[in-house]
Amino acid sequence: MALQFHSILDPRGYQERRKITLATRVSLEELKTGKILFYNNTKLGFCNYYTVFDRIKEHLRELGIENFVEYTETVRGKDAGKLKEYAQMLAKEKPSAAIVAFGDMGTSSSTTVLSIALEELGIPTVYMTAPPGTGITEGVGVYRAGHLCLCSVDIYQASTVEEIEAEVDKKWDYIIRSLTTNGKDLEELARIDFKMDKIPPREDGLLPLSENLSVEEEKLLEPGAYLEEINDFFNQEHISDGLPIIPPTKARYERMMEYCPFPEDMVLCSASGPSGKEVTVKDVAIAAVMAGCKPNAMPVLIAVFKALNSPLYNLNQSVTTSHPGGNMVIVSGPIARELGISGRQGCQGPGYPANATIGRAVNLVIMNIFRSVPGICDLDCIASQAEFTYCFAEEPDLAQWNMINEDHFDSETTTVYVLKAEPIHDIIDFLSLDGHDLLDTITHCCTTLGSNNAYMPGPLVVCLTPDHGMMLKKSGYTKEMIQEHIHTYVYHEVPMVRNRGLVPVRPASFANRHPMPVTRTPKDVEVVVIGGRGGHSGVILPWALHSEGIVEPVALPDGTIAKSIEEFKK
């Protein structure tokens, strides 16, 4: 009898691929008598990018089309519902067509959602994009609309006016045809040649691998048989992070649910990312199997995804940003010790299975469910190791002050703290003899002109080694005093943060501040004592784009705070 593998679950889940009906295009003569809507998501206000609209308008005027109306407003901070509402407001202008710009970086995904909404409201739309935003607009277009008129121009921040004009000229024929063509020609213009998921996941939730791989009985005796082939398939289909995975079979999935009394179809995160999919308990469990988690990690992972779903985290934009941050998880409380999540020497590096696998599962969910795949449907310029895994714990016997769980709840409650953040930046100080000098060293490391928090004040995490924690406490510092000191003295001179870096997002009250703080209040500074003895502390700087650090307790399905991981066992 022929041998066959057990079925392998598809970590992407089922994708409900829509194919929208594109708006009926009008004739060139009707464009002359109608109104052209130009929507600027604010990105055209920088560098020489506004030339994109200038050149398009110039070409339209040459055709006798001169009735333009323009709106400028950011898409940042708007979820899919708000974007659709904004599109409805734009549609009240009753335009004959719309030109949308600009999709080059972080706003690309949300602006694609807006463009889709305009099409569904009956407005022929062309969305102007540029690398690296083009890839993600294609992904959002495929997953959420099936097709869309996308026009990519090859420009970047240092492109001259003349270079941008030349790029628009190359695409002018595509632009005008996309606004005036119907039928099969329009279908071809709106076709997106996407680089992955060309065949959508199956409705039964299984991968086709087991059907397409012949099994040799002799090879099954080899330890780890066929793992190479399975991992090659996962990498080829862009459903792995590049490291070896454990195949998520149904049996392994059932074992992973042993400590998970939550329904498998329970939604943990709202629709986000290129795919526009929700995250369910089942999605998390499949990723946990792939990452190598123990079943008792599931309650912590559930808490993590509840925290990520807070509107204050800005998950939708965080999963596609060009920022190299990971989804950092700090676990504080007794369940961290039960699971072996470590905050001891080397806790942010290799050697701690619970840390590595829990953090890895978080990022596998984001890549596979939201389809934020590096190099194809993600904006990361360089990325970082923090996007493989980013999880560690606080240790009660190292703590010099209240831990995070104690600040928000009590010592018996286990919490997760999540923050979209850079990898840790080393702070070396082996020579200071007291906490006062040491704190000056730490303070100096809490920002740079190349860090997001120079332009967007927000939370940061100071990670003190036990030696540095003891020095600060011995010098009389409380946690609150450290927070106040860093909030007061970590800043930039205003001329240094003007017209460089990125567009600032600051509280309205900061409009006339000088110097410019990198935190909004002392509470933005989190202080933890972790690691081993010695003089290498560190600071973790944030993404901070409409994004907060979120604390969530590890709780049972009825909301009761869990005191032990065993309370979750079925």
Side-chain angles (χ1 to χ4, degrees), residues 388-410:
F388 277 109
T389 181
Y390 207 171
C391 175
F392 58 98
E394 288 192 271
E395 300 281 355
D397 59 333
L398 299 182
Q400 300 296 320
W401 307 279
N402 276 355
M403 299 198 309
I404 293 171
N405 61 321
E406 295 168 317
D407 280 340
H408 292 267
F409 294 92
D410 54 57

Side-chain angles (χ1 to χ4, degrees), residues 10 19 60 75 88 101 103 114 140 145 150 160 165 205 255 306 478 502 509 520 540:
D10 192 331
K19 188 167 185 179
L60 288 171
V75 293
Q88 289 167 355
L114 177 68
V140 177
L150 303 171
T160 65
E165 287 178 341
R255 287 196 293 273
K306 287 182 177 179
T478 64
L502 75 168
S509 60
R520 297 156 300 185
I540 296 171

Side-chain angles (χ1 to χ4, degrees), residues 115-384:
S115 300
I116 294 168
L118 289 172
E119 282 283 355
E120 292 188 293
L121 290 167
I123 302 169
T125 301
V126 174
Y127 178 20
M128 305 299 297
T129 72
T134 296
I136 198 165
T137 59
E138 291 175 346
V140 177
V142 165
Y143 292 121
R144 301 198 186 199
H147 51 183
L148 202 63
C149 290
L150 303 171
C151 182
S152 180
V153 287
D154 189 7
I155 62 178
Y156 75 120
Q157 68 190 63
S159 292
T160 65
V161 169
E162 293 75 19
E163 289 170 337
I164 296 173
E165 287 178 341
E167 281 296 313
V168 173
D169 290 349
K170 290 178 187 177
K171 299 300 177 71
W172 173 242
D173 181 64
Y174 177 89
I175 295 168
I176 195 63
R177 289 180 62 216
S178 294
L179 298 179
T180 57
T181 303
N182 288 294
K184 291 183 178 179
D185 288 340
L186 176 60
E187 287 290 327
E188 182 59 28
L189 289 167
R191 185 177 63 84
I192 301 172
D193 186 19
F194 196 47
K195 300 178 181 65
M196 65 180 188
D197 292 359
K198 291 182 181 293
I199 300 175
R202 298 177 355 180
E203 288 194 51
D204 64 7
L206 301 177
L207 286 170
L209 171 65
S210 56
E211 301 168 7
N212 300 331
L213 187 63
S214 60
V215 180
E216 301 172 13
E217 190 170 4
E218 179 64 27
K219 187 170 180 179
L220 290 177
L221 300 176
E222 179 182 322
Y226 288 97
L227 271 181
E228 293 92 342
E229 290 85 350
I230 292 170
N231 275 281
D232 285 347
F233 176 82
F234 272 68
N235 289 327
Q236 171 191 316
E237 296 300 316
H238 306 288
I239 48 178
S240 173
D241 57 11
L243 294 174
I245 57 97
I246 294 178
T249 61
K250 289 183 177 180
R252 289 187 176 114
Y253 169 79
E254 292 299 331
R255 287 196 293 273
M256 188 57 65
M257 295 294 284
E258 288 175 1
Y259 281 79
C260 188
F262 301 89
E264 68 173 12
D265 60 352
M266 175 180 168
V267 174
L268 298 173
C269 290
S270 303
S272 292
S275 70
K277 281 195 60 178
E278 298 171 331
V279 172
T280 66
V281 169
K282 182 178 181 179
D283 297 328
V284 174
I286 291 173
V289 172
M290 292 173 62
C293 292
K294 299 295 185 185
N296 60 9
M298 278 298 291
V300 168
L301 284 167
I302 297 295
V304 168
F305 280 94
K306 287 182 177 179
L308 293 176
N309 197 45
S310 167
L312 298 177
Y313 193 82
N314 192 11
L315 181 64
N316 185 55
Q317 194 173 348
S318 76
V319 301
T320 56
T321 177
S322 54
H323 187 266
N327 299 282
M328 183 197 69
V329 177
I330 304 177
V331 188
S332 307
I335 288 176
R337 297 190 295 283
E338 286 187 76
L339 299 185
I341 306 171
S342 180
R344 299 191 178 278
Q345 185 172 17
C347 61
Q348 291 191 35
Y352 295 99
N355 298 33
T357 57
I358 290 172
R360 187 186 183 196
V362 171
N363 290 311
L364 279 171
V365 170
I366 285 170
M367 191 177 77
N368 288 332
I369 298 303
F370 297 144
R371 300 311 283 143
S372 180
V373 175
I376 298 176
C377 203
D378 188 23
L379 288 167
D380 259 338
C381 296
I382 297 176
S384 74

